[in-house]
Structure formats: C-alpha cells, structure tokens
C-alpha cells in the first residue's frame, strides 16, 4: 500500500444470498483528499461504506482504512475513523455540551482533553450562547455542523459522512462544506456521499456506483470532459440511465 | 377551486411555525414550496389537509373551507406525507386496495390515473411494502394518494434523499399528472427542482420570501453576479471573505458565486487582488443567478 493512502480497497465484494450488493470494487483515497462516493439509491453505497467502517464483513476482497485491515482489525478501524450520518448523529435529549462529553468519553478522551476540545469546537462554531440547549431544539443545519465536529473529537485521520447535508438550508449547507474544506486542508481525509450534484463538484475526486460496481472514478473535471457534458448532474444522469 | 390561503399563522408553544402566510394556487397549477428543513412546509401541508388547526387566518382547498368542510376536503385531496406512511406489513397490492376501499372506489375504476406509475411496481405487487426499495416505496405512496382521483394533490418532500435519476423520473410523473387536471402543491429542499414548477413560493422560518414564476424570481435578482474560481477553493473562500468589496461569496459547484458591494466593481480588480494573493488559474466571469442565489440573498436580507 502506498504510504499516503488512507483507504485502499481491492476487489471488495459483498453478497447477500444470491444478490451481489457490492461487486468487486477497487479504489484508493489519499491523505487529505475529499472523495465523493456517489450512486443511485440501492446501488450499494451504504453496503460498501459499512464494510469500510468495520461493521460489515466483506464476502471477498480486502480493504485497509487508516492503515488497518477492515476484516482482521475492525476495532482499530473504528477507533481511528470518524462517522456521521443524516439519520443518527447526536442525542436530541442531551445538550450540546452533554453530547460532546458523552462522545468524548466513548472515544476514551481524558476529561482534560474533552474540556479543551469542546472549548475549541464551541469557538469555531460560534455556539457560545447555545451550549446548554438541547440538541433537539437546534435547526437541522446546526445539528449537522455540531455532529461533524463531534465526529472529529478524537482526531481521526479520516471521516465518513453519509448524506450529511440532506434537507439543510442552502447557506448552512455551504458553511458545512467550508468546514469540510478546512479539515481537508488540515490533512483529514473526507469520504462523503451526497445527492446534491453541486456538492459532487466540490470533491477532489468522485466515484459513481451503478448496480454494485464503480462505473466511473476521476476528478469532476475529467469526468465532465469524458462524458462531454458541463455538470456532474449530467454525468450522473448519463451513467445511471445508460446502464438500465 | 385550487388552494387559497389568507393570513395563516400557527405557533407551537409560542414558537411561530407559520407567520401570516397568504397565497393562491390556481386549478391545474403545479406549485412548489421551496425551503429548507424547519421552514414550516409540513405545518402548512397539515393545515391544508385538515390534520392541524391554524391559530389565525383561513384557507380553502378545492372550494372547501379547511375548518367547516374538513370532511369534504378529505374526500377530494390526496396527501403523500414526508415520512413513508403506508402499511409496511401489507403487500403492494393490499395497500392500494385498502386505500381504494376507504375512499369507496376500486383500483379498476381509476386505474387509468395510476397506470403509468403502477406498471413500474406491478412486478412486485405481492411484496410487502416494508421490503421495497426507496424509489418503489415512493411510487407506491403516490399511487395510494391518487387512487380516489383527487382534485388536489399534496406532496411533502417526495424527493428528499432520492438520487438525481429517480428525482428526474418523479418530476416527469408529476408533469403527466398535471395534464390530467390535478392541482399539485409540492415541497422540496432541492432548489434545482424549483424550475420545474409553474410558480413557486420561497419559504424560510415560517415566512414567505417571494412568490412568482421561477423565471421571474431569477430575473428579480438585484445584483450583478460573478462566477469565480482558482486552483485552491478553500483559500479562495478565505480571501474573498476579507476582500473589501465582497457582499457575498458562496461555493456553487466548481465555481464560487460572488456579488460585489459597489456598483463600480470591475472583474479585473478582483483578478488582480487574487493574483497578489498567489492564486493560480484565476477566472472571474459574469454569470446568471439561480433560484438558490435568490433564496440565499433574500434569507440573508431577512436576518
């Protein structure tokens, strides 16, 4: 494995009975890269992501994430990655502060670290007046920004973001992407799924899954010239339509 | 006989969800409510479908008052809520039969209306609804909302979390339904879908920012807008933030959309500024605003 690769995937396959959900995919993601993992609903993205974060075992193939083997070192993978999804991120019945303390504890940070980290995080988010508000009372966009920061509490080398901006208002959605850029600039690798095709353009490289396979993988610029279109939306429509 | 709302307000425990909302949807119109999570879209749907009573104002759907004639409304509207709300343990066909029976009709009687959509899920008619994929659930929910031939169809975020291909197909289905004289009120957080509606209302924090045709809303954008890029997007955002003539700078796909404060702004000045800050591959070009630019400009002004 090249020493700067944060994700290295070789011939990864997952079968459920006779159904091949993920069919022999291979790719790598470099350190500090923003990698967009796209595909239609049911294309196999979630299944692939579950294998990469160490909660589902591959049927064939191998993958290394943050330097650890997902099959034999799943616990180490989990400790060295961050993860947030649209569905479950934080506890609505806890305050922002309580969520930070809780997740900090889960990741084994000392109380001193938690205190320092939460101070930095609250400063960066500009959340001073709201640290004692219940997370459930925050607008969705704020929840997602807090959830992203919480996913970074333990300084993971790579963060997996599963549709982090679905339904978020356009201004907050862009603030969220600025946070992504900032972390990538600090060297954190970002692995992100989205249904917003303008966000696909923000990624350094993008892969598009169709029916369990990766049908395209390149920079947005190269994909657009390869398919002779001017937006990632058109690339996506062309690929997913043609296969059917 | 479409939809009429006059000064509708609704609060939950003193938190306003809708604040003095008025608009009309003409019969046969495809009208979009465009706004993010928490804007008040679902509250509005629930009032119009008689599932929630407003604090103030009045509203009529298909000619019936939402308070006095709620039973008539329920017989004449179809409602597809944001959360999947069919019976997971019934099969596709059983769900459809169930909804037809409740409304005193049969699948055969109105088959014509749902045919285009239903044939796509018919191969799975014996599968339980809970076992369907997202796209198929959505098609089944739409069939169930249509089976009694409603005059008005309410669709609350039908495409949220749906991939671009299925979203496009869904909108093609809506356009065909519109041909059959059904009035459609649809909400979405995806600003690119706004352009597919006859008219749209931009809504945020319980207030309407603007109502018009998508073309007119785009044309009303009050400023010149430029697309800007360089080889380091993150640095570009930072540098535009501190540029003295910046009114707004937001990422838009592979470019940033930039609006200047001053009338006298010249793109060459900005290029020069970025060169001084060691940017490579600089491009500054005038462009056309989108619905999303307008939405952000209006919500920024509201704050």
């Amino acid at each position: 494995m090249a020493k700067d690769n944060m994700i290295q995937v070789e011939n990864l396959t997952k079968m459920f009975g006779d159904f091949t959900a993920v069919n022999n995919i291979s790719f790598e993601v470099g350190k500090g890269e923003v990698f967009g993992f796209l595909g239609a609903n049911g294309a196999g993205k979630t299944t692939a992501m579950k294998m990469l974060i160490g909660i589902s075992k591959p049927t064939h193939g191998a993958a290394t994430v943050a330097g650890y083997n997902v099959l034999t070192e799943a616990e180490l993978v989990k400790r060295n990655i961050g993860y947030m999804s649209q569905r479950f991120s934080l506890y609505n019945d806890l305050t922002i502060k309580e969520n930070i303390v809780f997740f900090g504890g889960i990741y084994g940070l000392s109380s001193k670290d938690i205190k320092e980290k939460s101070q930095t995080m609250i400063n960066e988010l500009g959340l001073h007046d709201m640290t004692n508000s219940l997370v459930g009372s925050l607008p969705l966009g704020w929840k997602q920004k807090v959830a992203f920061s919480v996913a970074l509490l333990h300084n993971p080398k790579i963060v997996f973001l599963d549709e982090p901006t679905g339904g978020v208002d356009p201004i907050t959605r862009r603030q969220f992407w600025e946070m992504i850029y900032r972390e990538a600039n600090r060297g954190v690798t970002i692995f992100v799924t989205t249904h917003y095709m303008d966000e696909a353009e923000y990624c350094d490289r993008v892969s598009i899954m169709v029916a369990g396979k990766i049908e395209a993988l390149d920079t947005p610029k190269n994909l657009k010239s390869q398919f002779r279109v001017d937006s990632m939306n058109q690339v996506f429509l062309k690929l997913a339509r043609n296969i059917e | 006989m479409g939809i009429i709302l006059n000064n509708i307000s609704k609060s939950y425990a003193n938190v306003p969800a809708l604040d003095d909302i008025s608009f009309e949807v003409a019969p046969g119109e495809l009208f979009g409510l465009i706004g993010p999570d928490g804007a008040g879209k679902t509250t509005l749907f629930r009032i119009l479908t008689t599932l929630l009573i407003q604090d103030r104002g009045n509203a009529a759907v298909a000619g019936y008052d939402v308070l006095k004639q709620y039973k008539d409304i329920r017989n004449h509207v179809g409602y597809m809520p944001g959360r999947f709300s069919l019976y997971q343990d019934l099969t596709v066909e059983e769900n459809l039969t169930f909804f037809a029976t409740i409304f005193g009709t049969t699948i055969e009687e109105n088959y014509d209306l749902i045919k285009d959509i239903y044939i796509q899920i018919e191969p799975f008619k014996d599968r339980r609804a809970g076992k369907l994929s997202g796209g198929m659930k959505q098609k089944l929910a739409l069939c169930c909302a249509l089976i009694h031939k409603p005059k008005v169809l309410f669709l609350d975020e039908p495409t949220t979390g749906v991939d671009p291909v299925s979203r496009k197909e869904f909108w093609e289905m809506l356009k065909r339904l519109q041909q059959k004289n059904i009035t459609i009120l649809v909400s979405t957080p995806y600003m690119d879908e706004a352009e597919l509606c006859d008219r749209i209302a931009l809504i945020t924090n319980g207030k309407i920012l603007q109502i018009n045709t998508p073309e007119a809303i785009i044309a009303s954008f009050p400023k010149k807008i430029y697309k800007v890029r360089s080889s380091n997007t993150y640095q570009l955002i930072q540098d535009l933030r501190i540029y003295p003539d910046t009114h707004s700078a937001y990422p838009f796909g592979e470019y940033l959309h930039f609006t200047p404060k001053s009338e006298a702004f010249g793109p060459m000045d900005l290029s020069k500024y970025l060169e001084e800050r060691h940017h490579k591959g600089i491009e500054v070009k005038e462009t056309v605003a989108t619905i999303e630019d307008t939405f952000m400009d209006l919500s920024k002004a509201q704050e």
Side-chain angles (χ1 to χ4, degrees):
Chain A
M1 161 178 158
K3 83 173 183 295
D4 272 354
N5 279 347
M6 270 299 125
I7 301 182
Q8 179 89 33
V9 175
E10 274 157 32
N11 310 113
L12 200 63
T13 299
K14 179 78 185 187
M15 301 186 67
F16 298 106
D18 293 339
F19 177 67
T20 309
V22 174
N23 192 353
N24 204 24
I25 62 172
S26 302
F27 63 93
E28 60 247 19
V29 181
K31 184 175 180 334
E33 189 172 19
V34 179
F35 188 84
F37 195 59
L38 311 185
N41 303 99
K45 291 189 311 265
T46 305
T47 307
M49 203 186 247
K50 279 184 177 169
M51 290 191 276
L52 296 182
I53 63 176
I55 62 172
S56 168
K57 286 199 157 78
T59 313
H60 307 292
T64 317
V65 172
Y68 301 101
N69 185 313
V70 297
L71 195 61
T72 56
E73 300 170 301
E75 289 313 309
L76 285 166
V77 169
K78 288 177 203 166
R79 223 171 286 170
N80 285 282
I81 62 165
Y83 173 77
M84 78 167 273
S85 81
Q86 191 190 8
R87 268 148 271 143
F88 172 83
S89 38
L90 302 169
Y91 288 98
N92 280 329
D93 294 336
L94 298 182
T95 66
I96 295 179
K97 214 173 179 177
E98 287 164 347
N99 266 290
I100 297 172
V101 172
F102 176 80
F103 282 100
I106 291 256
Y107 282 113
L109 301 188
S110 69
S111 6
K112 186 166 155 277
D113 276 353
I114 293 176
K115 214 171 175 182
E116 277 174 21
K117 281 268 177 186
S118 55
Q119 212 47 52
T120 324
M121 186 178 137
I122 285 159
N123 285 340
E124 281 189 347
L125 289 169
L127 276 175
H128 302 276
D129 305 338
M130 293 157 93
T131 48
N132 292 317
S133 316
L134 292 184
V135 161
S137 71
L138 296 177
L140 177 69
W142 276 105
K143 272 187 207 169
Q144 296 303 79
K145 288 204 277 189
V146 175
F148 182 52
S149 304
V150 166
L152 291 164
L153 268 182
H154 57 298
N155 292 325
K157 296 175 195 142
I158 173 162
V159 186
F160 290 85
L161 307 171
D162 193 1
E163 275 187 58
T165 56
V168 172
D169 74 85
I171 294 180
T172 316
R173 197 154 74 77
R174 285 173 173 79
Q175 290 167 349
F176 193 92
W177 271 90
E178 279 184 41
M179 292 173 71
I180 291 182
Y181 282 135
R182 188 189 66 210
E183 293 308 321
N185 248 35
R186 288 175 180 169
V188 179
T189 304
I190 311 281
F191 186 95
V192 59
T193 74
T194 180
H195 285 316
Y196 290 97
M197 288 301 119
D198 61 328
E199 294 185 348
E201 312 259 8
Y202 305 157
C203 301
D204 295 320
R205 284 190 308 145
V206 162
S207 74
I208 300 178
M209 264 186 102
V210 182
K213 289 186 180 163
I214 290 184
E215 292 293 347
L217 197 170
D218 212 325
T219 62
K221 197 175 163 210
N222 289 348
L223 286 175
K224 283 181 281 185
S225 75
Q226 184 191 335
F227 288 89
R228 291 163 206 225
V229 292
D230 13 283
S231 71
M232 281 303 295
N233 193 42
Q234 288 163 300
V235 172
F236 192 96
L237 292 177
K238 254 187 152 164
L239 254 179
R241 276 266 158 98
N242 280 348
I243 301 291
E244 272 172 9
Chain B
M1 293 287 274
I3 305 169
I4 302 169
L5 292 98
N6 291 313
N7 310 105
I8 290 284
S9 293
K10 175 77 191 175
S11 297
Y12 299 111
N14 294 325
V15 180
L18 291 174
D19 186 6
D20 203 29
I21 301 280
S22 302
F23 65 86
E24 286 185 23
V25 180
E29 194 173 24
L30 174 53
F31 191 95
L33 269 182
I34 317 292
D37 191 272
K41 304 189 298 288
T42 300
T43 300
L44 194 62
F45 276 109
R46 294 178 61 84
I47 290 171
L48 293 175
T49 52
T50 78
L51 299 171
L52 188 68
I53 295 174
Q54 68 269 30
D55 299 337
R56 278 188 305 283
N58 56 67
V61 174
Y64 303 109
D65 183 88
V66 291
L67 296 182
K68 296 185 200 105
Q69 295 166 297
Y70 70 93
K71 285 190 177 162
D72 295 299
I73 291 185
R74 290 179 186 181
N75 281 323
H76 290 102
V77 305
Y79 176 36
M80 185 172 151
R83 195 177 295 172
F84 183 68
S85 53
L86 303 177
Y87 292 94
Q88 312 259 4
D89 293 337
L90 297 185
T91 66
V92 167
E93 197 175 26
E94 284 164 348
N95 265 295
L96 196 55
T97 308
F98 175 81
F99 282 95
T101 312
I102 288 217
F103 284 106
T105 182
T106 58
I107 298 178
E108 294 71 33
E109 201 175 323
N110 292 319
Y111 189 71
D112 190 41
L113 194 58
I114 60 162
K115 192 181 155 206
D116 286 351
I117 309 160
Y118 190 64
I119 47 171
Q120 302 174 49
I121 50 173
E122 208 170 10
F124 312 99
K125 67 182 164 88
D126 296 323
R127 190 180 291 188
R128 288 184 188 195
K131 298 276 178 203
L132 295 175
S133 75
M136 287 198 280
K137 277 184 182 164
Q138 183 198 40
K139 284 172 186 149
L140 175 60
L142 185 58
C143 287
C144 291
L146 282 170
I147 195 62
H148 59 298
K149 207 173 184 188
K151 290 178 181 156
V152 181
L153 183 61
F154 293 100
L155 306 166
D156 192 3
E157 296 205 14
T159 55
T160 293
V162 175
D163 69 73
V165 176
S166 311
R167 287 207 278 140
K168 191 157 183 278
E169 284 172 1
F170 194 82
W171 278 89
E172 284 161 7
M173 285 189 281
L174 291 192
K175 289 280 183 192
R176 284 197 295 270
L177 285 174
Q178 197 191 3
Q179 306 296 313
K180 294 177 178 165
N181 260 327
I182 297 176
T183 307
I184 303 174
L185 181 66
V186 57
S187 70
T188 179
Y190 295 101
M191 305 270 157
D192 57 344
E193 293 180 345
E195 287 169 39
L196 304 165
C197 302
D198 296 328
R199 283 192 308 145
I200 54 174
L202 303 180
I203 179 171
T204 192
N205 295 325
K207 289 199 176 92
I208 293 206
L209 298 169
Q210 201 170 18
I211 299 180
N212 217 323
T213 61
E215 298 76 22
I217 285 186
I218 288 171
S220 75
F221 193 77
K223 299 175 188 72
K224 277 201 168 177
I225 186 161
Y226 296 86
K227 53 181 191 179
V228 183
R229 76 166 154 195
S230 83
S231 50
N232 186 340
T233 312
Y234 181 67
Q235 198 51 47
L236 185 61
I237 298 172
Q238 303 305 315
D239 288 338
L240 283 177
R241 280 279 136 78
I242 52 170
Y243 184 58
D245 204 6
T246 298
H247 171 74
S248 68
Y250 295 116
F252 257 86
E254 58 182 324
Y255 290 92
L256 262 76
H257 279 190
F258 166 84
T259 56
K261 268 189 206 144
S262 69
E263 297 272 326
F265 172 81
M268 288 305 289
D269 299 338
L270 180 58
S271 300
K272 211 175 142 209
Y273 166 80
L274 293 174
E275 267 167 40
E276 280 162 12
R277 292 188 165 254
H278 313 295
H279 281 273
K280 301 265 182 304
I282 301 164
E283 201 179 316
V284 182
K285 269 189 203 154
E286 196 169 343
T287 188
V288 188
T290 64
I291 298 282
E292 200 156 7
D293 288 299
T294 313
F295 187 92
M296 292 197 287
D297 192 58
L298 292 168
S299 47
K300 204 177 165 190
Q302 195 202 36
E303 272 168 13

